[in-house]
Amino acid sequence: MDKERTKFYQSGDGSYFYSAEDASKWDLLDRMGQLNLLHVLKKEWEPEDSSQSKLRKLLQEIHVDEFEDFMADILGICETFEEMVYEFEGNINLSPEYLEKFYPDEKESLAKLRRQIKDHKEWKEKHQASYSFLTKKNLEIEENGSNDEYC
């Protein structure tokens, strides 16, 4: 029993197709999609007169053949920021866990940073009015019909 083996054709992005024609069509569609994305990105992120952004200027120079690597790098940078940044109520800093990977010998500095973060959270909890407190005050004001006593 001699079964005929199916031959697959690989497109430029590594996808496989049953025919060379389908692979070529996919490559054309993929290139057109990348050109469209690049065009929109360039338009959306045009350098502004008041901006000194090197990334905005660099984006204008990206060629479609560089686009895939460029986007992979941008996504990698975003993932790295998510991992390395500690964010608390709009304030950002390097995460102690991330820093520990690169500076394992800096135990004292990392402990100090962790203490500062903990102290900041505790201070905020003690000194910030809760939302429910503010809601209750607003309801009291509305029920009284006047807010003269709060002005």
Side-chain angles (χ1 to χ4, degrees), residues 2 4 11 14 27-28 38-40 42 62 74 78 102-103 112 114 120 126-127 135-136 140 143 145 148:
D2 188 21
E4 190 176 314
S11 66
D27 283 339
L28 180 62
L38 185 57
H39 175 73
V40 170
K42 285 182 177 186
I62 299 291
I74 292 294
C78 290
F102 297 98
Y103 304 101
K112 182 179 178 183
R114 284 188 175 98
H120 178 72
K126 289 178 185 174
H127 295 88
T135 304
K136 184 178 175 185
E140 288 174 5
E143 285 175 4
D148 294 339

Side-chain angles (χ1 to χ4, degrees), residues 6-24:
T6 306
K7 184 173 183 182
F8 293 103
Y9 297 86
Q10 191 173 14
S11 66
D13 72 349
S15 301
Y16 287 95
F17 295 88
Y18 290 112
S19 72
E21 183 181 341
D22 287 343
S24 291

Side-chain angles (χ1 to χ4, degrees), residues 1 8 19 23 30 34 47 51 64 76 78 91 96-97 99-101 103 105 109 124-125 135-137 142 148:
M1 220 168 38
F8 293 103
S19 72
D30 187 47
Q34 287 188 21
S51 173
V64 70
C78 290
N91 298 313
E97 292 77 21
L99 287 171
E100 196 168 32
K101 291 179 189 178
Y103 304 101
D105 298 335
S109 295
K124 197 89 178 207
E125 287 171 5
T135 304
K136 184 178 175 185
K137 283 292 183 190
E142 288 175 13
D148 294 339

Side-chain angles (χ1 to χ4, degrees), residues 24-38:
S24 291
K25 282 181 183 177
W26 177 253
D27 283 339
L28 180 62
L29 288 172
D30 187 47
R31 186 167 180 87
M32 287 172 45
Q34 287 188 21
L35 278 169
N36 288 339
L37 285 170
L38 185 57

